[in-house]
Amino acid sequence: MTTLQIGDKAPNFSGTDQDGNTHKLADYAGKKLVVFFYPKANTPGCTAEACDLRDNYERFQANNYALLGVSADAQKAQAKFKEKYDFPFPLLADEDKSVINAFGVWGPKKFMGKEYDGIHRTTFVINEEGIIADIISKVKTKEHADQILK
């Protein structure tokens, strides 16, 4: 699980979005970047979280934030998710888990008594200099924008 802490330099990630475009940390220099990790596209909690961020997108833009969603879903699944809910931000299809592992959000989980490995819903707020300004591990899916823009 994540060993990253507030004040650490953000991992120098590189990932591909739903359209095949590459995104890396350097692309967001001079902007605040919200990197939100979610377990699976088109599931109720992930949809609620991403829709809350979408509905507050203008607030993020007004405060110089860029948003980037990340899950291990395939590019096609991310494209359908983005299109279905009209998300104004890219979704990384991190099938090899390189970004997920760089941020340390992959690990053991428990659901209905079963243990398995998966993505822990975690959000990292990175400042204009590439330093982690906040880490939100107790994500409230329907109020996530307020958690970030507090």
Side-chain angles (χ1 to χ4, degrees):
M1 280 307 303
T2 189
T3 53
L4 292 172
Q5 297 181 3
I6 293 170
D8 288 352
K9 188 153 181 39
N12 192 12
F13 68 87
S14 178
T16 307
D17 73 11
Q18 73 288 335
D19 298 322
N21 300 315
T22 301
H23 295 263
K24 47 192 186 301
L25 182 61
D27 297 340
Y28 297 94
K31 268 196 169 305
K32 295 176 206 151
L33 176 63
V34 174
V35 183
F36 66 100
F37 291 89
Y38 56 95
K40 190 157 181 53
N42 267 314
T43 55
C46 299
T47 301
E49 178 183 9
C51 287
D52 179 59
L53 297 175
R54 175 202 64 202
D55 295 346
N56 287 279
Y57 190 64
E58 286 179 10
R59 287 172 62 203
F60 285 105
Q61 285 192 304
N63 288 289
N64 195 34
Y65 282 94
L67 285 93
L68 204 51
V70 185
S71 77
D73 291 298
Q75 204 172 318
K76 192 173 178 182
Q78 295 290 48
K80 280 184 181 170
F81 189 38
K82 181 176 165 53
E83 190 177 314
K84 182 176 181 181
Y85 294 101
D86 198 25
F87 297 136
F89 41 79
L91 302 175
L92 296 188
D94 192 26
E95 291 183 89
D96 69 358
K97 301 180 190 71
S98 61
V99 180
I100 290 162
N101 287 323
F103 280 86
V105 297
W106 184 264
K109 296 175 77 167
K110 204 178 243 176
F111 183 68
M112 295 175 75
K114 286 193 170 195
E115 283 201 24
Y116 62 98
D117 283 344
I119 295 173
H120 288 257
R121 187 186 310 277
T122 310
T123 297
F124 294 83
V125 181
I126 301 166
N127 73 15
E128 296 88 340
E129 288 82 44
I131 303 298
I132 297 170
D134 198 7
I135 300 172
I136 302 166
S137 55
K138 290 182 173 43
V139 172
K140 295 178 182 162
T141 57
K142 294 181 174 137
E143 301 157 25
H144 197 36
D146 288 338
Q147 286 182 293
I148 298 164
L149 296 167
K150 53 186 179 278

